[in-house]
Amino acid sequence: MSKKDVTSIRGCLEYLDKKGEVVHIKQEVDPIYEIAGIQKALDKGPVLFFEKIKGYPDYYNIGNLFSRRERIADLFDLDDPRKIKFKFLEAMKKPLPPRIVDVAPCQEVVITDNIDVPATLPIIKHTERDAGRILGSGIQLLMGPYFDDGANLSFNRIHFRGKDWASIATAQITHLGMTCFKLHRDERIPITVNINPSPAVQLVAGAWNVRTIVYPGMDELGIAGAFQGSPVNIVKAKTVDTYAIADSEIVLEGYIEPISEEVWESDEAEKLKKQAVAPFFPEWVGYLGRSWLVRKLRVTAITHRKDKPIFYTPLAHSLEYAGFDILREAGFFEMAERIAPGIVVDVHIPDYFKWGSGVIFQVRKERPQDEGLQRNILMAALYNAPGIRMAIAVDEDVDIYNADDLFWAIQSRVNPHRDIMVGPGGLRGIAAQPMEVRERGVGGWEGGMAIDATKPYNEAWKFERPHYPVDKVDLTKYFDNKQLAAIRAQQSEYAKTLAKRGW
């Protein structure tokens, strides 16, 4: 097998294709509902490569790329998916600055006249309730004075209500949102929307970051470069004073217009003149998103590769986002280290916490003085990351990658009067969470919930788990490999977890 190239989506797809990780769909598919329906039906499965798109013969499309962490670990030469976060942690501490190039694949074709984005790109419609065809795969690159001389990468939903203009939902509590709504609200902000750059760039962009760890002015392109092992190439944009990610498949250049030109996300919302009422499209929290009054994106150029560009359609509500939580895990681990070094040994954000709405800390207490530090970390987690609703701490003997073991620990180690902590109400919440919708002038977030499911240090002896001697028996003496495989296929994941440790 040839050496893999992780610096472009094409290099990664070539590698994954040779390993049988890519399923090619050769029949024509409609970007209206069909692509989304196929992807949802095969969620967390193989990479889907759509070769023939109705109405868009000059484009390919992919989905499900980041839905499996095992796939991501393989791409970046890691033998265990649980180690990916630590590779990101190293990248955060030693970023590799981007490299400016003069010639880039993403600019092989340049369109500046008669721009019509919806007619050019195979943007999908996710559900029948969607306000339209919503672009969710574009990565906004914000650089220079607009991000304190750093580089910010982010995904934001975009709806083209015109040929060359769209709504762009830059949530006010995000880094891009603070730039648009507070720091540079009355300016035209030059920006590029990069579709299908390297996987490392996409993983960084998708992270709902811990704000005290990944802060304004940080070089997020540098994090991606260090993670992939080589600088991310960037190129001067053709029509605006900023940069594009050179190895992207497609780039939209343009401006986020001043706040005076705000637009509604949908026709229905504009008619109602009400926010958070008209439907938009499925949100990452698991509910149908609603339309808002947001900033306007004006496109000044479309650039793309000459050889049949590869579009990308992650579903907003899917397990595609499993990979996007990895950098966030690294951020929480670093946050815990800064509060109390050595207390937290691992961090996990499982699929059911929906793009980082919760986090699990695995804690090691080694002396009486360590008791209570897990609570400091839990409460810090609630306040350091917008959108988080639950933080849980468990001991080293609990498998944080297995929900059954996690809930066993909660039901057996939590005093509901002492170990369930709720932050003060009235804080700033996330608009996408129905439980956190604000009244005017009143914060809606109830503060989130922190659960300390760790053993009290001075009474830890009461929580000894009995150990069955699985490590003292050799099953191959009694069963052949075929029999063992058949037996293990009948076991639930929880049974396998307990059997592995003898619990």
Side-chain angles (χ1 to χ4, degrees), residues 143-197:
M143 295 187 70
Y146 301 98
F147 196 61
D148 201 16
D149 291 328
N152 174 237
L153 298 165
S154 61
F155 285 101
N156 295 278
R157 66 193 201 186
I158 297 173
H159 181 200
F160 277 92
R161 297 187 59 206
K163 293 181 178 181
D164 66 350
W165 69 271
S167 64
I168 178 169
T170 57
Q172 295 186 36
I173 58 173
T174 65
H175 286 152
L176 181 58
M178 290 300 289
T179 294
C180 293
F181 284 95
K182 189 175 180 65
L183 301 177
H184 300 276
R185 58 186 283 125
D186 298 317
E187 303 174 43
R188 298 188 86 196
I189 302 169
I191 201 163
T192 57
V193 180
N194 303 266
I195 298 172
N196 251 348

Short mmCIF file of all heavy atoms in Angstrom, two decimals, residues 143-197:
data_model
loop_
_atom_site.label_atom_id
_atom_site.label_comp_id
_atom_site.label_asym_id
_atom_site.label_seq_id
_atom_site.Cartn_x
_atom_site.Cartn_y
_atom_site.Cartn_z
N MET A 143 -8.90 35.22 10.16
CA MET A 143 -7.49 35.43 10.45
C MET A 143 -7.18 36.90 10.73
O MET A 143 -8.03 37.78 10.58
CB MET A 143 -6.62 34.93 9.29
CG MET A 143 -6.67 33.45 9.04
SD MET A 143 -5.47 32.91 7.78
CE MET A 143 -3.93 33.13 8.66
N GLY A 144 -5.93 37.14 11.10
CA GLY A 144 -5.42 38.50 11.24
C GLY A 144 -6.03 39.28 12.38
O GLY A 144 -6.32 38.73 13.44
N PRO A 145 -6.27 40.57 12.18
CA PRO A 145 -6.77 41.43 13.27
C PRO A 145 -8.16 41.03 13.75
O PRO A 145 -8.57 41.45 14.83
CB PRO A 145 -6.78 42.82 12.63
CG PRO A 145 -6.88 42.57 11.16
CD PRO A 145 -6.10 41.32 10.93
N TYR A 146 -8.86 40.24 12.98
CA TYR A 146 -10.21 39.83 13.38
C TYR A 146 -10.19 38.68 14.38
O TYR A 146 -11.22 38.31 14.92
CB TYR A 146 -11.02 39.45 12.14
CG TYR A 146 -11.14 40.59 11.16
CD1 TYR A 146 -10.30 40.67 10.06
CD2 TYR A 146 -12.06 41.61 11.38
CE1 TYR A 146 -10.39 41.74 9.17
CE2 TYR A 146 -12.16 42.68 10.50
CZ TYR A 146 -11.32 42.74 9.40
OH TYR A 146 -11.41 43.81 8.55
N PHE A 147 -9.00 38.09 14.59
CA PHE A 147 -8.87 37.04 15.61
C PHE A 147 -7.57 37.24 16.38
O PHE A 147 -6.83 36.31 16.65
CB PHE A 147 -8.92 35.65 14.97
CG PHE A 147 -9.17 34.54 15.96
CD1 PHE A 147 -10.34 34.49 16.70
CD2 PHE A 147 -8.25 33.52 16.14
CE1 PHE A 147 -10.57 33.48 17.62
CE2 PHE A 147 -8.46 32.49 17.05
CZ PHE A 147 -9.63 32.48 17.79
N ASP A 148 -7.30 38.49 16.72
CA ASP A 148 -6.13 38.82 17.54
C ASP A 148 -4.85 38.23 16.95
O ASP A 148 -4.00 37.69 17.67
CB ASP A 148 -6.34 38.33 18.98
CG ASP A 148 -5.45 39.06 19.98
OD1 ASP A 148 -4.90 40.12 19.61
OD2 ASP A 148 -5.29 38.56 21.10
N ASP A 149 -4.74 38.31 15.61
CA ASP A 149 -3.58 37.83 14.85
C ASP A 149 -3.40 36.32 14.91
O ASP A 149 -2.32 35.81 14.58
CB ASP A 149 -2.30 38.53 15.31
CG ASP A 149 -2.30 40.01 14.93
OD1 ASP A 149 -2.87 40.34 13.87
OD2 ASP A 149 -1.74 40.82 15.69
N GLY A 150 -4.44 35.61 15.29
CA GLY A 150 -4.40 34.15 15.25
C GLY A 150 -5.21 33.65 14.08
O GLY A 150 -5.45 34.36 13.10
N ALA A 151 -5.66 32.40 14.15
CA ALA A 151 -6.47 31.80 13.10
C ALA A 151 -7.58 30.98 13.74
O ALA A 151 -7.32 30.10 14.56
CB ALA A 151 -5.62 30.91 12.19
N ASN A 152 -8.82 31.31 13.39
CA ASN A 152 -9.98 30.61 13.94
C ASN A 152 -10.63 29.77 12.84
O ASN A 152 -10.85 30.24 11.72
CB ASN A 152 -10.99 31.62 14.49
CG ASN A 152 -12.29 30.96 14.94
OD1 ASN A 152 -13.36 31.32 14.47
ND2 ASN A 152 -12.19 30.01 15.85
N LEU A 153 -10.94 28.52 13.16
CA LEU A 153 -11.61 27.61 12.25
C LEU A 153 -12.95 27.22 12.85
O LEU A 153 -13.02 26.85 14.03
CB LEU A 153 -10.77 26.34 12.02
CG LEU A 153 -9.40 26.52 11.37
CD1 LEU A 153 -8.56 25.26 11.55
CD2 LEU A 153 -9.55 26.87 9.89
N SER A 154 -14.01 27.27 12.06
CA SER A 154 -15.32 26.91 12.61
C SER A 154 -16.29 26.52 11.51
O SER A 154 -16.20 26.97 10.37
CB SER A 154 -15.90 28.08 13.40
OG SER A 154 -16.09 29.22 12.58
N PHE A 155 -17.22 25.62 11.87
CA PHE A 155 -18.36 25.29 11.02
C PHE A 155 -19.54 26.15 11.46
O PHE A 155 -19.82 26.25 12.66
CB PHE A 155 -18.77 23.82 11.20
CG PHE A 155 -17.87 22.83 10.53
CD1 PHE A 155 -16.93 22.11 11.27
CD2 PHE A 155 -17.97 22.57 9.18
CE1 PHE A 155 -16.12 21.17 10.66
CE2 PHE A 155 -17.16 21.64 8.56
CZ PHE A 155 -16.23 20.94 9.29
N ASN A 156 -20.25 26.75 10.53
CA ASN A 156 -21.46 27.49 10.84
C ASN A 156 -22.47 27.26 9.72
O ASN A 156 -22.10 27.24 8.55
CB ASN A 156 -21.17 28.99 10.97
CG ASN A 156 -20.27 29.30 12.15
OD1 ASN A 156 -20.71 29.40 13.28
ND2 ASN A 156 -18.98 29.44 11.88
N ARG A 157 -23.71 27.09 10.09
CA ARG A 157 -24.72 26.79 9.08
C ARG A 157 -24.96 27.99 8.18
O ARG A 157 -25.05 29.13 8.64
CB ARG A 157 -26.01 26.34 9.75
CG ARG A 157 -26.73 27.39 10.57
CD ARG A 157 -27.80 26.75 11.42
NE ARG A 157 -28.81 27.73 11.84
CZ ARG A 157 -29.80 27.45 12.68
NH1 ARG A 157 -29.91 26.23 13.21
NH2 ARG A 157 -30.70 28.36 13.00
N ILE A 158 -25.07 27.72 6.87
CA ILE A 158 -25.19 28.77 5.85
C ILE A 158 -26.37 28.43 4.94
O ILE A 158 -26.48 27.30 4.46
CB ILE A 158 -23.89 28.87 5.02
CG1 ILE A 158 -22.71 29.30 5.92
CG2 ILE A 158 -24.05 29.84 3.86
CD1 ILE A 158 -21.36 29.26 5.21
N HIS A 159 -27.23 29.41 4.70
CA HIS A 159 -28.38 29.21 3.84
C HIS A 159 -28.39 30.27 2.74
O HIS A 159 -28.55 31.46 3.02
CB HIS A 159 -29.68 29.30 4.64
CG HIS A 159 -30.92 29.08 3.81
ND1 HIS A 159 -32.16 29.50 4.21
CD2 HIS A 159 -31.09 28.47 2.61
CE1 HIS A 159 -33.06 29.17 3.29
NE2 HIS A 159 -32.43 28.54 2.31
N PHE A 160 -28.17 29.83 1.51
CA PHE A 160 -28.16 30.77 0.39
C PHE A 160 -29.59 31.12 -0.01
O PHE A 160 -30.27 30.36 -0.68
CB PHE A 160 -27.36 30.19 -0.78
CG PHE A 160 -25.88 30.42 -0.62
CD1 PHE A 160 -25.10 29.46 0.00
CD2 PHE A 160 -25.30 31.60 -1.04
CE1 PHE A 160 -23.74 29.67 0.19
CE2 PHE A 160 -23.94 31.82 -0.86
CZ PHE A 160 -23.16 30.86 -0.24
N ARG A 161 -29.99 32.30 0.41
CA ARG A 161 -31.31 32.81 0.04
C ARG A 161 -31.22 33.64 -1.24
O ARG A 161 -32.25 34.07 -1.78
CB ARG A 161 -31.89 33.63 1.19
CG ARG A 161 -32.11 32.78 2.47
CD ARG A 161 -32.82 33.56 3.53
NE ARG A 161 -34.12 34.01 3.04
CZ ARG A 161 -34.75 35.08 3.51
NH1 ARG A 161 -34.19 35.82 4.46
NH2 ARG A 161 -35.92 35.43 3.02
N GLY A 162 -30.02 33.86 -1.72
CA GLY A 162 -29.78 34.53 -2.99
C GLY A 162 -28.68 33.81 -3.72
O GLY A 162 -28.07 32.87 -3.19
N LYS A 163 -28.38 34.24 -4.93
CA LYS A 163 -27.34 33.58 -5.71
C LYS A 163 -25.96 33.77 -5.10
O LYS A 163 -25.13 32.87 -5.12
CB LYS A 163 -27.36 34.10 -7.15
CG LYS A 163 -28.60 33.71 -7.93
CD LYS A 163 -28.52 34.24 -9.36
CE LYS A 163 -29.74 33.82 -10.17
NZ LYS A 163 -29.67 34.32 -11.57
N ASP A 164 -25.70 34.98 -4.59
CA ASP A 164 -24.36 35.28 -4.07
C ASP A 164 -24.39 35.77 -2.63
O ASP A 164 -23.42 36.34 -2.15
CB ASP A 164 -23.66 36.30 -4.96
CG ASP A 164 -24.34 37.66 -4.95
OD1 ASP A 164 -25.46 37.78 -4.40
OD2 ASP A 164 -23.75 38.62 -5.49
N TRP A 165 -25.48 35.56 -1.95
CA TRP A 165 -25.52 35.94 -0.53
C TRP A 165 -26.30 34.90 0.28
O TRP A 165 -27.16 34.20 -0.26
CB TRP A 165 -26.11 37.34 -0.33
CG TRP A 165 -27.59 37.46 -0.63
CD1 TRP A 165 -28.15 37.75 -1.83
CD2 TRP A 165 -28.67 37.26 0.29
NE1 TRP A 165 -29.52 37.76 -1.74
CE2 TRP A 165 -29.87 37.48 -0.44
CE3 TRP A 165 -28.75 36.95 1.64
CZ2 TRP A 165 -31.13 37.36 0.14
CZ3 TRP A 165 -30.01 36.83 2.24
CH2 TRP A 165 -31.18 37.04 1.49
N ALA A 166 -25.96 34.83 1.55
CA ALA A 166 -26.56 33.82 2.42
C ALA A 166 -26.64 34.33 3.85
O ALA A 166 -25.95 35.28 4.23
CB ALA A 166 -25.72 32.54 2.38
N SER A 167 -27.46 33.67 4.62
CA SER A 167 -27.41 33.86 6.07
C SER A 167 -26.29 32.99 6.61
O SER A 167 -26.03 31.91 6.08
CB SER A 167 -28.75 33.46 6.71
OG SER A 167 -28.99 32.07 6.52
N ILE A 168 -25.62 33.46 7.65
CA ILE A 168 -24.59 32.64 8.30
C ILE A 168 -24.76 32.77 9.80
O ILE A 168 -24.73 33.87 10.35
CB ILE A 168 -23.16 33.03 7.85
CG1 ILE A 168 -22.12 32.18 8.60
CG2 ILE A 168 -22.89 34.51 8.01
CD1 ILE A 168 -20.71 32.31 8.03
N ALA A 169 -25.01 31.65 10.46
CA ALA A 169 -25.36 31.65 11.88
C ALA A 169 -24.11 31.63 12.75
O ALA A 169 -23.65 30.58 13.19
CB ALA A 169 -26.25 30.46 12.21
N THR A 170 -23.55 32.80 12.98
CA THR A 170 -22.38 32.92 13.86
C THR A 170 -22.88 33.16 15.29
O THR A 170 -23.06 34.30 15.70
CB THR A 170 -21.49 34.09 13.41
OG1 THR A 170 -22.28 35.28 13.41
CG2 THR A 170 -20.96 33.86 12.02
N ALA A 171 -23.13 32.09 16.02
CA ALA A 171 -23.66 32.22 17.38
C ALA A 171 -22.81 33.20 18.18
O ALA A 171 -21.57 33.14 18.16
CB ALA A 171 -23.67 30.86 18.05
N GLN A 172 -23.47 34.10 18.90
CA GLN A 172 -22.76 35.21 19.53
C GLN A 172 -21.74 34.77 20.56
O GLN A 172 -20.80 35.51 20.85
CB GLN A 172 -23.78 36.16 20.16
CG GLN A 172 -24.67 36.84 19.14
CD GLN A 172 -25.58 37.88 19.76
OE1 GLN A 172 -25.21 38.58 20.69
NE2 GLN A 172 -26.79 37.99 19.23
N ILE A 173 -21.91 33.58 21.15
CA ILE A 173 -20.96 33.16 22.18
C ILE A 173 -19.76 32.41 21.60
O ILE A 173 -18.89 31.98 22.35
CB ILE A 173 -21.65 32.29 23.24
CG1 ILE A 173 -22.29 31.08 22.59
CG2 ILE A 173 -22.66 33.09 24.04
CD1 ILE A 173 -22.84 30.09 23.59
N THR A 174 -19.72 32.22 20.28
CA THR A 174 -18.55 31.59 19.66
C THR A 174 -17.49 32.64 19.37
O THR A 174 -17.75 33.84 19.43
CB THR A 174 -18.94 30.89 18.34
OG1 THR A 174 -19.35 31.89 17.40
CG2 THR A 174 -20.06 29.90 18.55
N HIS A 175 -16.29 32.20 19.03
CA HIS A 175 -15.23 33.14 18.69
C HIS A 175 -15.60 33.97 17.47
O HIS A 175 -15.42 35.19 17.45
CB HIS A 175 -13.92 32.38 18.44
CG HIS A 175 -13.29 31.88 19.71
ND1 HIS A 175 -12.49 30.76 19.74
CD2 HIS A 175 -13.33 32.34 20.99
CE1 HIS A 175 -12.06 30.56 20.97
NE2 HIS A 175 -12.56 31.50 21.74
N LEU A 176 -16.12 33.32 16.44
CA LEU A 176 -16.53 34.05 15.25
C LEU A 176 -17.70 34.98 15.58
O LEU A 176 -17.76 36.12 15.10
CB LEU A 176 -16.92 33.09 14.13
CG LEU A 176 -17.36 33.72 12.80
CD1 LEU A 176 -16.28 34.63 12.23
CD2 LEU A 176 -17.75 32.65 11.79
N GLY A 177 -18.61 34.50 16.40
CA GLY A 177 -19.75 35.32 16.78
C GLY A 177 -19.36 36.57 17.56
O GLY A 177 -19.93 37.65 17.35
N MET A 178 -18.38 36.45 18.45
CA MET A 178 -17.93 37.62 19.20
C MET A 178 -17.29 38.64 18.27
O MET A 178 -17.44 39.85 18.45
CB MET A 178 -16.93 37.20 20.28
CG MET A 178 -17.55 36.41 21.42
SD MET A 178 -18.84 37.31 22.32
CE MET A 178 -17.85 38.53 23.17
N THR A 179 -16.60 38.14 17.25
CA THR A 179 -16.02 39.05 16.25
C THR A 179 -17.12 39.78 15.49
O THR A 179 -17.06 41.00 15.30
CB THR A 179 -15.14 38.26 15.26
OG1 THR A 179 -14.02 37.73 15.96
CG2 THR A 179 -14.64 39.15 14.13
N CYS A 180 -18.14 39.03 15.08
CA CYS A 180 -19.20 39.60 14.24
C CYS A 180 -20.17 40.49 15.00
O CYS A 180 -20.64 41.50 14.47
CB CYS A 180 -19.98 38.47 13.57
SG CYS A 180 -19.02 37.53 12.37
N PHE A 181 -20.49 40.11 16.22
CA PHE A 181 -21.54 40.82 16.95
C PHE A 181 -21.02 41.84 17.95
O PHE A 181 -21.78 42.67 18.43
CB PHE A 181 -22.44 39.82 17.68
CG PHE A 181 -23.39 39.11 16.77
CD1 PHE A 181 -23.07 37.87 16.24
CD2 PHE A 181 -24.60 39.68 16.41
CE1 PHE A 181 -23.93 37.21 15.39
CE2 PHE A 181 -25.47 39.03 15.55
CZ PHE A 181 -25.14 37.79 15.04
N LYS A 182 -19.72 41.78 18.27
CA LYS A 182 -19.22 42.68 19.30
C LYS A 182 -17.99 43.47 18.86
O LYS A 182 -17.99 44.69 18.81
CB LYS A 182 -18.92 41.90 20.58
CG LYS A 182 -18.59 42.78 21.78
CD LYS A 182 -18.42 41.95 23.04
CE LYS A 182 -18.09 42.80 24.24
NZ LYS A 182 -19.20 43.71 24.60
N LEU A 183 -16.92 42.76 18.51
CA LEU A 183 -15.65 43.42 18.28
C LEU A 183 -15.58 44.16 16.95
O LEU A 183 -14.95 45.22 16.86
CB LEU A 183 -14.51 42.38 18.36
CG LEU A 183 -14.41 41.63 19.69
CD1 LEU A 183 -13.31 40.58 19.62
CD2 LEU A 183 -14.16 42.59 20.84
N HIS A 184 -16.22 43.62 15.90
CA HIS A 184 -16.15 44.24 14.57
C HIS A 184 -17.55 44.28 13.95
O HIS A 184 -17.70 44.04 12.76
CB HIS A 184 -15.18 43.45 13.68
CG HIS A 184 -13.78 43.39 14.21
ND1 HIS A 184 -12.86 44.39 13.99
CD2 HIS A 184 -13.15 42.45 14.96
CE1 HIS A 184 -11.71 44.07 14.58
NE2 HIS A 184 -11.87 42.89 15.17
N ARG A 185 -18.51 44.59 14.73
CA ARG A 185 -19.91 44.50 14.31
C ARG A 185 -20.27 45.44 13.16
O ARG A 185 -21.18 45.16 12.39
CB ARG A 185 -20.84 44.74 15.51
CG ARG A 185 -20.65 46.06 16.18
CD ARG A 185 -21.50 46.20 17.45
NE ARG A 185 -22.89 46.47 17.15
CZ ARG A 185 -23.90 45.74 17.60
NH1 ARG A 185 -23.67 44.67 18.34
NH2 ARG A 185 -25.14 46.05 17.30
N ASP A 186 -19.58 46.53 13.02
CA ASP A 186 -19.93 47.51 11.99
C ASP A 186 -18.99 47.46 10.78
O ASP A 186 -18.96 48.39 9.96
CB ASP A 186 -19.91 48.92 12.59
CG ASP A 186 -20.95 49.08 13.70
OD1 ASP A 186 -22.08 48.59 13.50
OD2 ASP A 186 -20.62 49.66 14.75
N GLU A 187 -18.21 46.39 10.67
CA GLU A 187 -17.24 46.27 9.59
C GLU A 187 -17.60 45.13 8.64
O GLU A 187 -18.34 44.20 9.01
CB GLU A 187 -15.84 46.01 10.16
CG GLU A 187 -15.34 47.06 11.13
CD GLU A 187 -14.03 46.65 11.77
OE1 GLU A 187 -13.16 46.14 11.02
OE2 GLU A 187 -13.88 46.81 13.00
N ARG A 188 -17.05 45.20 7.43
CA ARG A 188 -17.09 44.06 6.52
C ARG A 188 -15.91 43.17 6.87
O ARG A 188 -14.76 43.59 6.79
CB ARG A 188 -17.00 44.50 5.06
CG ARG A 188 -18.10 45.39 4.57
CD ARG A 188 -17.99 45.58 3.07
NE ARG A 188 -18.65 44.52 2.34
CZ ARG A 188 -18.45 44.26 1.04
NH1 ARG A 188 -17.55 44.97 0.35
NH2 ARG A 188 -19.10 43.29 0.42
N ILE A 189 -16.18 41.95 7.26
CA ILE A 189 -15.13 41.05 7.73
C ILE A 189 -14.77 40.08 6.61
O ILE A 189 -15.60 39.26 6.19
CB ILE A 189 -15.60 40.27 8.97
CG1 ILE A 189 -15.99 41.25 10.09
CG2 ILE A 189 -14.52 39.31 9.45
CD1 ILE A 189 -16.71 40.60 11.25
N PRO A 190 -13.54 40.16 6.06
CA PRO A 190 -13.15 39.24 4.99
C PRO A 190 -13.02 37.82 5.52
O PRO A 190 -12.46 37.59 6.60
CB PRO A 190 -11.81 39.80 4.52
CG PRO A 190 -11.27 40.54 5.71
CD PRO A 190 -12.46 41.08 6.44
N ILE A 191 -13.52 36.88 4.76
CA ILE A 191 -13.54 35.50 5.25
C ILE A 191 -13.54 34.54 4.06
O ILE A 191 -13.94 34.91 2.95
CB ILE A 191 -14.79 35.26 6.14
CG1 ILE A 191 -14.58 34.05 7.05
CG2 ILE A 191 -16.06 35.14 5.32
CD1 ILE A 191 -15.57 34.01 8.21
N THR A 192 -13.06 33.33 4.28
CA THR A 192 -13.20 32.28 3.28
C THR A 192 -13.95 31.11 3.90
O THR A 192 -13.81 30.82 5.10
CB THR A 192 -11.85 31.79 2.75
OG1 THR A 192 -11.03 31.33 3.84
CG2 THR A 192 -11.13 32.90 1.99
N VAL A 193 -14.76 30.46 3.08
CA VAL A 193 -15.49 29.26 3.49
C VAL A 193 -14.87 28.10 2.72
O VAL A 193 -14.99 28.01 1.50
CB VAL A 193 -17.00 29.38 3.17
CG1 VAL A 193 -17.73 28.11 3.60
CG2 VAL A 193 -17.59 30.60 3.88
N ASN A 194 -14.19 27.23 3.45
CA ASN A 194 -13.36 26.18 2.84
C ASN A 194 -14.06 24.82 2.97
O ASN A 194 -14.34 24.36 4.08
CB ASN A 194 -12.01 26.13 3.54
CG ASN A 194 -11.29 27.47 3.47
OD1 ASN A 194 -10.49 27.72 2.57
ND2 ASN A 194 -11.58 28.37 4.42
N ILE A 195 -14.32 24.20 1.83
CA ILE A 195 -15.03 22.92 1.81
C ILE A 195 -14.05 21.80 1.52
O ILE A 195 -13.34 21.82 0.51
CB ILE A 195 -16.15 22.94 0.77
CG1 ILE A 195 -17.19 24.04 1.14
CG2 ILE A 195 -16.85 21.58 0.67
CD1 ILE A 195 -18.23 24.27 0.09
N ASN A 196 -14.00 20.85 2.44
CA ASN A 196 -13.15 19.65 2.32
C ASN A 196 -11.65 19.95 2.26
O ASN A 196 -10.95 19.48 1.35
CB ASN A 196 -13.56 18.81 1.12
CG ASN A 196 -14.23 17.51 1.54
OD1 ASN A 196 -14.19 17.13 2.71
ND2 ASN A 196 -14.84 16.82 0.59
N PRO A 197 -11.12 20.69 3.24
CA PRO A 197 -9.67 20.72 3.39
C PRO A 197 -9.22 19.41 4.04
O PRO A 197 -10.01 18.46 4.12
CB PRO A 197 -9.44 21.92 4.30
CG PRO A 197 -10.69 21.98 5.13
CD PRO A 197 -11.80 21.50 4.23
#
